[in-house]
Amino acid sequence: MQCVILAGGLATRMRPLTDERPKALLPVAGRPFIDHQLEWLGRHGVTHVVMSIGYRGEMLRAHVGDGARHGLAVTYVDEGKNLRGTAGALRLALSQGALEDAFLVTYGDSFLPCDFGEVWARFRRSGLPSLMTVFRNEGLFDTSNVIFEPSDDARELRDGRLVLYDKRRATRPPADFAYIDYGLTALERRLVQSEVPEAPPSGKADLADLFHALSLRGELAGLEVRERFHEIGSPEGLEELSQWITANL
């Protein structure tokens, strides 16, 4: 099971902590964040990680190496200073032959306490070419951007119908959006090939546009995660995650 970690961003919101290092190397509960993330992935079924790096990427490569100490095989796709956006990074990985037929995608500042292996299994059972995990947010942690209709009452991972993903909430009233993108998606490689241009006019391509289009076509499965997500994109998020890891891991 392959997981792509998008970790090339400039991390401007975390300056000055990220002046000299990438966000994924910020200390969390006494260790670099990326160590916690990779250990979690290795414990939950991921075997191969593609690390999409950019800003201070050489530091991430030097720290993580080949991933063997986490029980993983880690390879790298380096955007350098020419950051291409979240979808553009996947297109670069495709062009370098780094993507398997289907794969998971998450972010280099997200810690997601869910079973990646079970998410993968639900994706494969869905019969759709993509799946998005969602969380019932009600505007709590960030702006809700998903309309989701759960179909069962499972405790941890709940299936349902993803009606719409719209990051900008431009197509339905804001009150309709109770859920948020959890930060873990699954994609078939062919979608990157057919949907993400090699050279977009702006120079960047955003996964938000791809997910919006897939949701409109009914090609984006949904899966609700009940445990909240954590992120280190803000000082508050960094402190909250440190407390959670200290208490739970």
Side-chain angles (χ1 to χ4, degrees):
M1 184 169 64
Q2 182 184 65
C3 183
V4 178
I5 299 178
L6 301 175
L10 297 174
T12 54
R13 286 196 302 156
M14 292 300 284
R15 299 282 173 85
L17 296 177
T18 53
D19 281 345
E20 301 297 332
R21 57 185 160 186
K23 187 162 43 175
L25 288 181
L26 289 176
V28 176
R31 301 175 63 199
F33 169 79
I34 191 65
D35 289 351
H36 296 294
Q37 188 181 42
L38 291 176
E39 283 186 5
W40 186 271
L41 267 59
R43 286 168 48 191
H44 292 87
V46 174
T47 56
H48 176 206
V49 167
V50 175
M51 190 85 68
S52 177
I53 58 177
Y55 175 70
R56 303 286 185 184
E58 71 284 354
M59 297 180 69
L60 261 178
R61 191 194 296 262
H63 178 78
V64 174
D66 63 4
R69 63 193 170 95
H70 298 295
L72 299 165
V74 177
T75 56
Y76 299 86
V77 174
D78 193 346
E79 293 183 83
K81 295 182 179 180
N82 182 28
L83 300 182
R84 296 161 171 81
T86 50
L90 291 184
R91 182 72 198 203
L92 180 63
L94 174 73
S95 71
Q96 294 187 6
L99 300 181
E100 296 179 358
D101 288 344
F103 53 92
L104 298 169
V105 183
T106 191
Y107 301 93
D109 62 357
S110 297
F111 189 87
L112 308 177
C114 68
D115 188 337
F116 280 53
E118 181 60 23
V119 171
W120 178 258
R122 299 285 188 99
F123 164 56
R124 286 313 210 182
R125 290 203 298 266
S126 74
L128 294 176
S130 59
L131 178 144
M132 175 180 284
T133 54
V134 301
F135 177 77
R136 190 170 183 88
N137 179 59
E138 303 284 4
L140 179 60
F141 296 112
D142 207 336
T143 303
S144 299
N145 53 26
V146 175
I147 300 174
F148 176 77
E149 296 175 350
S151 62
D152 60 48
D153 229 3
R155 291 185 59 189
E156 294 182 5
L157 295 174
R158 184 157 67 162
D159 289 308
R161 186 170 78 94
L162 198 149
V163 178
L164 178 66
Y165 170 82
D166 185 354
K167 183 177 180 179
R168 300 169 186 86
R169 304 199 299 182
T171 55
R172 292 275 293 268
D176 289 354
F177 294 85
Y179 288 81
I180 191 171
D181 173 10
Y182 188 71
L184 175 63
T185 52
L187 287 168
E188 292 184 358
R189 183 178 61 197
R190 64 181 177 86
L191 292 176
V192 180
Q193 176 77 47
S194 62
E195 305 277 341
V196 182
E198 287 191 71
S202 68
K204 295 185 177 182
D206 194 337
L207 279 174
D209 297 322
L210 173 60
F211 294 146
H212 178 62
L214 292 170
S215 73
L216 291 177
R217 301 201 303 256
E219 296 180 355
L220 182 61
L223 184 64
E224 180 183 356
V225 182
R226 302 296 188 92
E227 176 76 34
R228 65 155 291 191
F229 57 87
H230 298 271
E231 52 78 29
I232 59 166
S234 67
E236 297 78 16
L238 188 67
E239 177 58 27
E240 287 178 355
L241 178 58
S242 293
Q243 293 176 8
W244 187 91
I245 285 178
T246 299
N248 291 279
L249 297 182

